[in-house]
Amino acid sequence: DAGVTQSPTHLIKTRGQHVTLRCSPISGHKSVSWYQQVLGQGPQFIFQYYEKEERGRGNFPDRFSARQFPNYSSELNVNALLLGDSALYLCASSLSGSAYEQYFGPGTRLTVT
Amino acid sequence: AQTVTQSQPEMSVQEAETVTLSCTYDTSESDYYLFWYKQPPSRQMILVIRQEAYKQQNATENRFSVNFQKAAKSFSLKISDSQLGDAAMYFCAYKEGTGANSKLTFGKGITLSVRP
């Protein structure tokens, strides 16, 4: 079975631009969570979606938004990019909204110049 | 709010030796899960081992075992017979047991190097 997939792998954007990151969960998983990992730090929770509903939101500005589609894939959108948004963005999927077993994708490396 | 602390930024171990990675956490909850994740340079976060707070027995997975001290809020990872492939960044993570979501709270991580 395919694991969690994310696209694109790498991305370079300019300050002020908008970016969309995509995630496809493991087949049968209905929950997707997004994390931001700044270089040298642990991942920080951004959002979780389960059955297309937001289940949790971390301490991130409103420039960050996400959604989940009927096929359980998800998009993370970031508006008005700042240099500080440069990070590895990780997606994790799980069977249910409160499941402890999460599986991570390889991440998208975003560089903002 | 829950916090996870990994105070050792780096550790090194000789191949075939044993190493212990430390982690402490702070929570007022009684029901929770603790995890160790491995992140190699390839970036993929891999679950190494999981411990349920209600279980007194320490979890083990092959060469990996934990020392879970609930009263002290300590959760260390022991890697036995270290291999070159164990070199990676290791993160300790916490999840509420009764929470409505799957949010993980991570520590800052520790970089483990393995000397041949």
Side-chain angles (χ1 to χ4, degrees):
Chain A
D1 283 343
V4 178
T5 59
Q6 293 186 244
S7 63
T9 305
H10 296 89
L11 202 53
I12 300 174
K13 289 286 189 177
T14 304
R15 275 177 298 176
Q17 285 188 318
H18 162 91
V19 69
T20 297
L21 310 181
R22 295 178 175 84
C23 172
S24 291
I26 292 172
S27 177
H29 285 196
K30 298 181 178 180
S31 174
V32 169
S33 297
W34 288 94
Y35 291 82
Q36 181 196 63
Q37 186 179 14
V38 174
L39 192 63
Q41 300 292 319
Q44 296 287 317
F45 175 76
I46 310 175
F47 284 112
Q48 183 195 3
Y49 276 76
Y50 174 63
E51 292 278 19
K52 302 185 293 295
E53 298 288 330
E54 183 182 297
R55 272 294 187 98
R57 172 185 286 255
N59 188 24
F60 280 81
D62 291 343
R63 299 184 296 107
F64 288 76
S65 64
R67 57 179 175 168
Q68 187 176 33
F69 299 98
N71 66 354
Y72 303 112
S73 66
S74 177
E75 283 183 354
L76 175 69
N77 296 284
V78 187
N79 292 324
L81 284 167
L82 303 174
L83 294 179
D85 295 332
S86 295
L88 180 67
Y89 288 84
L90 296 168
C91 172
S93 79
S94 57
L95 278 169
S96 69
S98 58
Y100 54 73
E101 200 79 35
Q102 293 190 63
Y103 298 85
F104 283 82
T108 292
R109 172 71 67 191
L110 172 64
T111 302
V112 182
T113 62
Chain B
Q2 293 81 13
T3 59
V4 177
T5 302
Q6 294 179 255
S7 56
Q8 310 155 302
E10 296 179 358
M11 286 201 72
S12 180
V13 63
Q14 190 76 35
E15 193 176 6
E17 297 294 309
T18 296
V19 64
T20 299
L21 311 183
S22 301
C23 172
T24 59
Y25 60 95
D26 189 25
T27 183
S28 57
E29 303 293 327
S30 58
D31 183 16
Y32 52 88
Y33 299 91
L34 295 166
F35 309 85
W36 279 97
Y37 279 89
K38 170 185 178 181
Q39 188 178 41
S42 65
R43 312 183 319 204
Q44 188 103 28
M45 193 79 77
I46 302 164
L47 178 63
V48 174
I49 199 165
R50 177 186 73 242
Q51 175 79 44
E52 292 87 341
Y54 63 85
K55 289 186 177 179
Q56 292 192 348
Q57 187 173 6
N58 289 324
T60 62
E61 286 287 342
N62 301 313
R63 298 183 295 108
F64 300 88
S65 62
V66 300
N67 184 4
F68 174 48
Q69 302 288 327
K70 191 171 184 179
K73 296 180 181 174
S74 170
F75 183 61
S76 60
L77 174 69
K78 185 171 83 171
I79 306 175
S80 303
D81 186 25
S82 297
Q83 300 175 0
L84 295 177
D86 294 334
M89 200 148 183
Y90 286 82
F91 293 95
C92 179
Y94 166 100
K95 180 197 174 306
E96 280 186 13
T98 56
N101 60 51
S102 299
K103 174 186 173 182
L104 290 170
T105 301
F106 286 87
K108 289 186 175 181
I110 177 169
T111 301
L112 177 67
S113 58
V114 181
R115 304 185 303 274

